[in-house]
Amino acid sequence: QVQLVESGGGLVQAGSSLRLSCAASVRTFTYFAMGWFRQAPGRERELVAAISRDGANTVYADSVKVRFTISRDNSKNTVFLQMNSLKPEDTASYYCAADTNIVAVVTRRADYWGQGTQVTVSS
């Protein structure tokens, strides 16, 4: 069983930065590819970014490329999402996901999901 706990969300102004963290309670964090997703009211959950088990490979949604960076610290069982130049359209609940298969993460079929953290960007 994998438990994921997100933190770091909040209310910020456009142009600001936030860093989200997702702590995983799991014995072998390096077995899991990780991803960040977001869901705004009335919209489907969408992939923001994903990272391979060793951190060597990353995937980003076109809407966040250049502005967001996903990373992981395998010694701390944690994955991060650094969000810069935030825009009002980035407002959403952000969720962390984990699966042993990165394809499952990228296609929203990950086995494990966190409860989410809210990010609100004011104009």
Side-chain angles (χ1 to χ4, degrees):
Q1 188 72 12
V2 178
Q3 291 187 331
L4 304 173
V5 179
E6 302 96 335
S7 62
L11 171 62
V12 298
Q13 291 188 330
S16 300
S17 297
L18 278 176
R19 188 192 197 203
L20 304 184
S21 299
C22 172
S25 298
V26 62
R27 182 177 297 178
T28 49
F29 184 61
T30 53
Y31 281 8
F32 294 89
M34 304 295 294
W36 283 100
F37 290 76
R38 67 187 180 187
Q39 187 168 18
R43 303 190 66 175
E44 289 189 355
R45 189 171 296 189
E46 63 174 356
L47 174 71
V48 175
I51 189 166
S52 59
R53 290 181 284 184
D54 62 359
N57 297 293
T58 56
V59 175
Y60 292 94
D62 288 344
S63 60
V64 306
K65 280 180 181 176
V66 178
R67 298 188 299 123
F68 291 10
T69 302
I70 189 170
S71 62
R72 64 190 294 162
D73 185 340
N74 286 342
S75 69
K76 297 181 179 179
N77 286 14
T78 303
V79 63
F80 304 98
L81 184 69
Q82 178 67 43
M83 305 187 295
N84 298 329
S85 302
L86 282 161
K87 303 175 181 181
E89 50 263 44
D90 294 318
T91 295
S93 293
Y94 283 72
Y95 299 88
C96 178
D99 199 282
T100 56
N101 187 333
I102 192 169
V103 174
V105 173
V106 172
T107 57
R108 296 186 297 174
R109 294 181 290 114
D111 283 338
Y112 304 102
W113 294 83
Q115 293 299 306
T117 185
Q118 179 66 35
V119 172
T120 303
V121 184
S122 64
S123 58

